[in-house]
Amino acid sequence: MSGSRAAETGRGGANTIRWGAFLAPPLLLSLALLVLPQASFLWMSFHEDLGLGQSSETASLVNYVRIVTDPFYLHSIWLTVYLSAAAAAIGLVLGFATAYALARLGGWRARLALSLILTTSLITIVIKLMGLNLMLGASGLVNQALLAVGAVASPVAFVNNELGVLIGLVQYTLPILVLMLFGVVQTIPVGLEEAAAIHGASRAAIFARVILPLARTGLIGGGLIAFNMGMGAFTSAVLLGGGRVLTMPVLIQQKMIQSSEYGMGAALSTVLLVLVFTVNIVVATCVTRRRGSRP
Amino acid sequence: MSSVALESVSKIYPGGAAVQDLDLEIAAGGFVVLLGPSGCGKTTTLRMIAGFVEPTQGRVLIGGRDVTRVPPRHRDIGMVFQNYALFPNMTVAQNIGFGLRHRGADRARIRRRVDEMLELIHLEGKGDSYADELSGGQQQRVALARALAASPQLLLMDEPLGALDQKLRENLQVELLRIQRELGITTVLVTHDQQEAMVLADRIVVMAGGRIQQAGTPRELYRRPANAFVADFMGKNNLMQGRGVGAAERLEIDLGSGCRMPLPAGACRGGEDLRIGVRPEQLDVGPVEGACIPATVEEARFLGNVAHYFLRTPWGQQLLAERFGGDCVYPAGSVVGVRWKPGDVVVLDGAGARHA
């Protein structure tokens, strides 16, 4: 009896579509394109580079040991984390302010602004960064203006340094943050703010006690996305860092393409991947745990 | 407790006026209900009292103080919002204590007051719950407690019972009245539910088109509506159009198709077009004899305590008669005589166009 029922279900019945089957092709494709290269990368990272693209036959931890002992690599890791975190923090502040204003403005004006933001985020990052480079260069618009009003005596070095990379990363992540946080603010009813206002809360108190706690999960999610984007950002780091700011993506590219140190490149990639995963998992765990105690 | 006064207040939006030239006085300790269909301006009026909407013209006074330009948090108001607007990130106790906390009360006083309020709304022991763990009715009571905790001089409520089912709504109406009387707090409530307005209010303000149509006790509004809008909006009504005939002692209304019915003395001048209203419960249905309107029963509906007759008159209008005792004596298709006492007729203005 139960066997025939199982067979019935197995055949799918008249109205049952086996949606699981649709997932098989993309799953296989992802496996082929993501997991296999990563596995071969991981395998490569355990082999020391012998120069000229050759690597040792025997597996060892040499590459990893060098990464965690050599100040050069440690600084690169620190630089990448610090710039990504700073860009995420700046992006959250600017993005939340913009998203909040747009969500509360509402109507066609907000829709227009959002579609403009979406459009800019679809322009290739190279073009946007070249524009920034021109604007922020020693003889760019910004420095000319600053010199003209006498705010500075000599041009400020906005680009080809860490500041440049930071500006580039904010530029890169801001549109996505605004779009994402717009949705977050929209889930906070204006009625809650009014309820707080009429029962004595100032603007600052409403922000701290109502808006911020309710947007918390969304802000953390947005912050993680911006952080992850920053950790993997290559173009911003190269174009606005002028090749002088060696974040991990830049370093990996140099190892793999310029000096053919595949083992080291692979080890750096693995460290980057593990780092990003760890940060995300730790933050996500903390968020869920706090949620559990405060539904 | 404070009185509230609106002095020729208007709110004009680019699309038109939401409230026009509104004058309203609410006595201290009174329970006033702003009643009207959606878009009538009642919510805008409430929000102007709260301070969320700034009037284009006119003044808002609370307890004699001009608060027109005073921000909401300095108006000393408690408010219950539609859908309650409880803070989901706070416990029931934190929600109730919110007003006191932001008005600088100390911890011990807040705790004492929160306990008092929980007792008042019969939710002792629920202080540590979160709003989404409570039922709709409980959330409503918490919202009320939050509004009252800081002992404001004025309580505003925007459709506070709208999201609840009928039975719960009736229970909470009784509860609301008890608390309002116990505290004697001046209260302004907005609703589109005429029944709710009659249960709660000692004064109802009927609004339409951004203007006050009539203000008075529930009895005044039901028995003596000032115009066709109020007559129709407050309960059910049979509005009929006709021409006054006869003079002084023997006034009648000619309803067309040869139907004439007596009017109360002095109700109008002869030859005048007028509109009258007769409540369904005042329409008598019986055999066709004497002064009556012969009408066909289109539908007879058994509703338990009453019966509803839908009647088609000779001039083609449908009337509703409500008879006590649920059994339908006259089946659909039968012809009956409809009559009413002249004293039960309310004579409304000519065509009612003034208020439409």
Side-chain angles (χ1 to χ4, degrees):
Chain A
M1 193 67 190
S2 69
S4 75
R5 265 192 65 188
E8 193 99 347
T9 327
R11 247 192 304 130
N15 298 317
T16 323
I17 298 171
R18 294 171 65 197
W19 292 106
F22 285 82
L23 292 176
L27 191 69
L28 287 173
L29 199 64
S30 308
L31 209 68
L33 295 181
L34 181 78
V35 178
L36 292 183
Q38 290 303 324
S40 84
F41 238 67
L42 197 63
W43 184 80
M44 241 196 311
S45 71
F46 290 112
H47 295 270
E48 192 182 3
D49 294 302
L50 301 173
L52 297 172
Q54 303 295 309
S55 52
S56 125
E57 289 293 311
T58 49
S60 71
L61 286 170
V62 167
N63 291 325
Y64 290 101
V65 171
R66 270 178 62 196
I67 290 173
V68 296
T69 51
D70 189 335
F72 173 75
Y73 292 114
L74 288 175
H75 179 254
S76 174
I77 294 173
W78 160 244
L79 194 63
T80 315
V81 171
Y82 147 76
L83 285 175
S84 302
I90 295 170
L92 280 181
V93 172
L94 296 179
F96 192 69
T98 312
Y100 182 83
L102 284 178
R104 290 300 183 240
L105 174 69
W108 65 270
R109 273 173 285 233
R111 282 199 298 277
L112 180 69
L114 280 181
S115 32
L116 286 177
I117 291 168
L118 185 66
T119 311
T120 64
S121 73
L122 293 177
I123 297 171
T124 170
I125 184 76
V126 178
I127 291 178
K128 287 196 285 185
L129 291 175
M130 293 318 287
L132 264 186
N133 233 333
L134 287 174
M135 289 262 298
L136 298 171
S139 55
L141 213 60
V142 176
N143 268 317
Q144 276 181 23
L146 287 174
L147 288 169
V149 299
V152 292
S154 57
V156 180
F158 284 115
V159 287
N160 300 329
N161 54 18
E162 287 176 21
L163 180 61
V165 177
L166 187 62
I167 293 172
L169 289 180
V170 172
Q171 153 103 341
Y172 176 41
T173 52
L174 196 53
I176 286 133
L177 278 176
V178 172
L179 290 176
M180 202 194 136
L181 295 175
F182 180 82
V184 172
V185 175
Q186 273 195 320
T187 63
I188 304 172
V190 188
L192 291 182
E193 290 178 39
E194 292 181 343
I198 202 148
H199 295 121
S202 61
R203 258 336 286 184
I206 295 172
F207 184 75
R209 301 263 295 141
V210 178
I211 299 170
L212 217 49
L214 293 178
R216 196 176 131 266
T217 316
L219 284 170
I220 290 169
L224 277 180
I225 287 174
F227 178 78
N228 296 344
M229 285 171 74
M231 290 293 280
F234 172 71
T235 327
S236 313
V238 167
L239 290 184
L240 290 177
R244 278 174 237 173
V245 183
L246 297 178
T247 60
M248 292 184 80
V250 178
L251 209 55
I252 292 165
Q253 192 264 355
Q254 284 188 357
K255 293 289 171 198
M256 304 287 277
I257 310 292
Q258 291 175 13
S259 47
S260 300
E261 292 174 42
Y262 300 121
M264 196 53 177
L268 283 170
S269 303
T270 310
V271 169
L272 181 61
L273 196 68
V274 169
L275 202 61
V276 168
F277 264 109
T278 312
V279 168
N280 280 272
I281 287 166
V282 167
V283 172
T285 315
C286 292
V287 174
T288 352
R289 194 168 294 155
R290 277 199 65 186
R291 246 202 189 160
S293 62
R294 299 187 63 182
Chain B
M1 292 313 130
S2 289
S3 62
V4 176
L6 301 179
E7 292 178 353
S8 47
V9 164
S10 297
K11 180 63 193 178
I12 320 280
Y13 287 110
V19 171
Q20 272 184 75
D21 208 27
L22 187 123
D23 280 291
L24 180 63
E25 286 223 27
I26 298 164
F31 197 140
V32 167
V33 171
L34 304 180
L35 175 68
S38 60
C40 72
K42 59 188 191 295
T43 300
T44 306
T45 304
L46 191 79
R47 292 172 64 79
M48 285 194 284
I49 300 175
F52 296 134
V53 171
E54 196 175 314
T56 315
Q57 281 158 28
R59 300 201 304 160
V60 179
L61 293 98
I62 298 175
R65 179 170 74 117
D66 185 346
V67 295
T68 317
R69 305 273 176 266
V70 174
R73 70 192 179 103
H74 294 309
R75 292 194 181 195
D76 198 8
I77 290 174
M79 185 159 173
V80 177
F81 291 79
Q82 212 171 354
N83 306 320
Y84 324 129
L86 294 175
F87 306 121
N89 54 319
M90 297 179 205
T91 62
V92 165
Q94 285 170 329
N95 265 287
I96 295 175
F98 189 90
L100 284 167
R101 188 184 154 149
H102 287 275
R103 291 190 165 97
D106 63 69
R107 217 168 264 275
R109 194 174 145 233
I110 295 175
R111 187 159 342 113
R112 208 160 349 109
R113 185 65 177 156
V114 167
D115 287 341
E116 263 174 50
M117 295 313 295
L118 284 171
E119 199 178 320
L120 183 75
I121 59 171
H122 304 311
L123 281 180
E124 298 96 331
K126 288 278 185 190
D128 293 328
S129 309
Y130 285 85
D132 58 6
E133 297 165 344
L134 303 180
S135 70
Q138 289 173 331
Q139 288 183 33
Q140 204 283 333
R141 272 140 66 193
V142 173
L144 180 63
R146 179 180 65 183
L148 293 171
S151 312
Q153 47 176 335
L154 175 64
L155 175 64
L156 304 180
M157 292 191 257
D158 185 7
E159 303 263 7
L161 307 173
L164 303 170
D165 63 65
Q166 185 62 32
K167 253 222 155 66
L168 194 56
R169 196 153 63 209
E170 282 167 15
N171 288 340
L172 281 168
Q173 285 168 358
V174 175
E175 187 83 356
L176 196 58
L177 267 184
R178 173 183 71 81
I179 292 172
Q180 197 267 344
R181 285 190 186 138
E182 211 169 299
L183 303 176
I185 186 169
T186 316
T187 304
V188 184
L189 182 143
V190 158
T191 185
H192 64 270
D193 182 342
Q194 169 263 139
Q195 202 104 38
E196 183 169 301
M198 294 188 83
V199 171
L200 295 173
D202 38 58
R203 235 170 115 238
I204 297 177
V205 177
V206 178
M207 292 184 70
R211 294 177 188 279
I212 293 177
Q213 300 298 317
Q214 190 177 0
T217 65
R219 182 184 299 271
E220 280 165 8
L221 266 63
Y222 192 81
R223 294 273 180 242
R224 293 290 149 214
N227 57 43
F229 179 84
V230 178
D232 199 34
F233 195 77
M234 296 295 293
K236 296 193 181 77
N237 217 327
N238 295 299
L239 299 184
M240 288 167 273
Q241 200 91 41
R243 181 179 291 269
V245 288
E249 295 309 299
R250 266 187 53 84
L251 268 177
E252 285 187 319
I253 180 167
D254 183 355
L255 293 160
S257 306
C259 297
R260 287 187 175 199
M261 292 296 285
L263 286 177
C268 69
R269 291 188 306 274
E272 193 183 25
D273 276 334
L274 54 101
R275 197 197 279 217
I276 61 168
V278 187
R279 296 283 178 194
E281 67 270 23
Q282 286 157 343
L283 281 192
D284 186 28
V285 179
V288 187
E289 55 187 26
C292 69
I293 300 167
T296 314
V297 178
E298 288 198 324
E299 205 182 324
R301 225 177 253 169
F302 169 74
L303 293 175
N305 56 337
V306 292
H308 276 181
Y309 291 104
F310 293 89
L311 308 157
R312 186 64 65 182
T313 64
W315 63 92
Q317 191 183 350
Q318 194 182 58
L319 299 179
L320 171 66
E322 182 176 277
R323 305 309 302 159
F324 287 102
D327 290 317
C328 303
V329 184
Y330 302 97
S334 54
V335 176
V336 294
V338 177
R339 51 179 69 76
W340 55 76
K341 296 191 197 91
D344 290 337
V345 174
V346 173
V347 179
L348 304 159
D349 50 86
R354 200 152 47 92
H355 301 279

